[in-house]
Amino acid sequence: MNKIGLIIKREYLRRVSKKSFLLLTFFTPFLFAALVFVPLWLSTIKGDDAKQVAIIDATGKYAPLFDDTEEYTFIIEKGSSLEEYRQNPDKEIFAFLNITGDLLQNPAAATLYSQKQIPMGLKNTIDKTLSEYLKDEKLASYNIDNLKQIIEESKIDFNIKTIKWDEDGSEKSTSAEVASILGMILTFIIYMFIIMYGAMVMQGVMEEKTNRIIEVMISSVKPFDLMMGKIIGIGFVGLTQVFLWGILTTVLVSGSLFFFGGSASPEEMMTAQVAAQGMGDMATGSSDISIQVQEIINSINFKMIGFCFVFYFIGGYLLYAALFAAIGSALEQQEDTQQFMTPIMLLMAFSLYAGIYSMNNPDGPLAFWCSMIPFTSPIVMMVRLPFDIPAWELALSFALLFATSLFIVWFSAKIYRVGILMYGKKPSIKEMLKWVQYK
Amino acid sequence: MNFLETEDVVKQYANHLALNKVSIQVPEGKVFGLLGPNGAGKTTLIRIINRITAPDSGLVRFNGREFRPEDIYQIGYLPEERGLYKKMKVGEQAIYLAQLKGLSYQEARTRLTRWFEKFDIMPWWNKKLEELSKGMQQKIQFIITIIHEPKLLIFDEPFSGFDPVNAELLKKEILELKDAGHTIIFSTHNMSSVEEICDNIALINRSQVVLSGNVTEVKSRFRTNNFTIRFHTGSGKLQPIPELFSLLAEKDLAGTSEVRIHKEPGITNSDLLSALAGQTEIISFTEEIPSMNDIFINTVSGTNTTQA
């Protein structure tokens, strides 16, 4: 087996067999699933007993309006006054609604009392019930026929349907919301992985340097092979993790949906996601909308996106990992890394924000230029991918990214080669650039 | 025949000339001592021989021909600053490093088992390196250095970190390797070990070779022509003979006297001895041969003052 293969194998196996890797890989999807489903599950749990709310209504006209809900039972109190309750508290009753006069004339005449903090749910129920009644009463006071009906009819809910024409003229329903969510998820994954695995490369390089094993290694392997072996090996670890997360998440989400009685398909999951995000009025969940979402999801070219994701991942990772390797090779102390890491982290953060802002206008100049510049393109392009960008843009962006990556790898290898054998004082950037010219 | 030669090797770092036309000749099957004070350029030279860095100019000849990249498989290098993967198991790590030196997995395993059994350290095989003491780690590192049976071995301060018992064991191993035909470059500050082990030396100071050659020959070059003579105090008194020798110091011990004399050039030891024997009853007659330690200090401080 050749050397670089041996190094890749060792770097890969050593990392994937670590407990921390296994824990992170297998528990993160559970964590995500839990984040999505635990609130859903909790919301389905009913409160133990309905709480009693006593209504002390001096007018007598509002009290009958309140219908019992799952959480609250409303009791119309006729005999005792609020003062009597205040002196002899009745533990059974959770809250008192005291209405002293006509609310249309004096909105302050209703007050809610309780010994505990009043939940938003109760306040909302009461507000809603009273305001609906008052609105009707007010409308009635205008003495216009059918006013209520007119107002009802004038309420228009509008959500434009977006259709994308294919080259053959056939129509496809598209959804900016679904595309944006997908783009955002991909952006975050790439951002997170470049930082996580880039830092891992740096740690690995520094470990070999501070362990002093480097001199033994370098006497049998070329520095370039050692650096690339490490970068590639760790890159495979990253791809493995993404792959496993993808599978696990799908399995878990489908499983959970099945558990909640829904049919288990990833499309349903997307529907649920969209609904949960409250984007558009799809949350109503009518069968009609379900079909629409299905259509939209089918309109997204997952194969193309998956392919591009893997290649941008590789290109972006290569670029940043090589930089991290060069930095790691020049330093001995963990504390010194901060100074060199900061510019890279800023660049990454800029890319992420550019990606987020590009969402509003995925074909705008910010999105375009940032998806061409190699340092930001792996992150920003992810936002644009679900929006079906022109092939030439994709090709150009790819070419630029890979050409730059190869240049950075070459450049970093030059620094690495000298840096790993330099001990003593922390080098300046100027010195590091001088190393590139060493024979 | 010389197994390794360097010819006018020059290496320049940013503003420091690390090696200035360094030429050394390492004969095959011998132990070659590469000596010099800290910062003289030894490590740079060793790195060039290991092909870790390339010289700016000059030649390295390996086994009689020009140095080639694949020659590194024929070199085993034990660096001064030792290091292995701390979290990796000893056996696994040794196999990995041996594979990088070109051995197959099977071959590496067989050879390692043999060495581990020889050093009686088989129980360490599945331990992590960090669980071992420093001396134990050094042993592992030594095995890793020689596992691929290279023709040329380079040991940089091999005895540092070893207790006397293990240092002795290591010395024995090094001499066995020499007897088995390996050529060894031995870099150290420990001059007594140089006298015991090395056949030839080169002394590097301030980026240049200032002294080189066979150990006995180098030592005779530094002869002072001083002798220490002990004799019975009652048997007579030593008088200097100007054309033969002069007296340097006299010391009376219980019943015996010790005199240091300086022999004039061109006089043989036999002539001197017969002249002395005529004067007194000699107990011992010793030539003061400088130790490698003295030669090292004299040469280094001598070149430093002439250049300063």
Side-chain angles (χ1 to χ4, degrees), chain A residues 40-103:
Chain A
L40 206 68
W41 175 63
L42 284 179
S43 66
T44 60
I45 298 174
K46 312 272 182 292
D48 12 349
D49 276 320
K51 292 186 173 111
Q52 294 188 13
V53 179
I55 303 169
I56 305 160
D57 183 6
T59 62
K61 84 177 153 166
Y62 303 110
L65 300 173
F66 292 92
D67 293 326
D68 290 353
T69 67
E70 277 167 353
E71 281 159 323
Y72 302 103
T73 321
F74 295 95
I75 313 162
I76 302 169
E77 189 57 60
K78 290 198 181 80
S80 338
S81 73
L82 187 69
E83 277 313 306
E84 281 168 43
Y85 276 111
R86 201 198 290 267
Q87 265 132 43
N88 311 305
D90 184 342
K91 291 271 187 274
E92 290 295 298
I93 295 172
F94 176 73
F96 303 94
L97 175 62
N98 191 26
I99 303 172
T100 51
D102 193 298
L103 292 173

Side-chain angles (χ1 to χ4, degrees), chain A residues 5 51 83 91 113 149 186 199 208 237 248 258 280 354 407-408:
Chain A
K51 292 186 173 111
E83 277 313 306
K91 291 271 187 274
Y113 297 91
Q149 201 188 334
L186 295 180
E208 278 174 355
V237 178
L248 277 173
F258 185 75
F407 172 76
I408 294 284

Side-chain angles (χ1 to χ4, degrees), chain A residues 32 180-197 242 245 277 309 313 348-349 351-357 359 378-383:
Chain A
F32 275 127
S180 299
I181 293 168
L182 185 62
M184 223 46 244
I185 293 171
L186 295 180
T187 303
F188 271 112
I189 292 178
I190 285 218
Y191 172 78
M192 215 174 70
F193 270 79
I194 288 178
I195 287 191
M196 246 172 77
Y197 286 90
V242 177
W245 280 2
Q277 299 282 339
F309 174 80
F313 183 92
M348 296 283 293
S351 312
L352 185 65
Y353 281 105
I356 291 170
Y357 289 118
M359 264 204 341
I379 294 168
V380 176
M381 196 52 118
M382 285 305 115
V383 180

Side-chain angles (χ1 to χ4, degrees), chain A residues 3 10 208 211 215 219 421, chain B residues 73 77 83 85-86 96 100:
Chain A
K3 303 262 182 83
R10 179 189 163 269
E208 278 174 355
N211 264 358
E215 211 151 341
S219 64
L421 293 170
Chain B
Y73 296 116
Y77 174 37
Y85 292 109
K86 288 195 169 57
Y96 172 61
L100 287 179

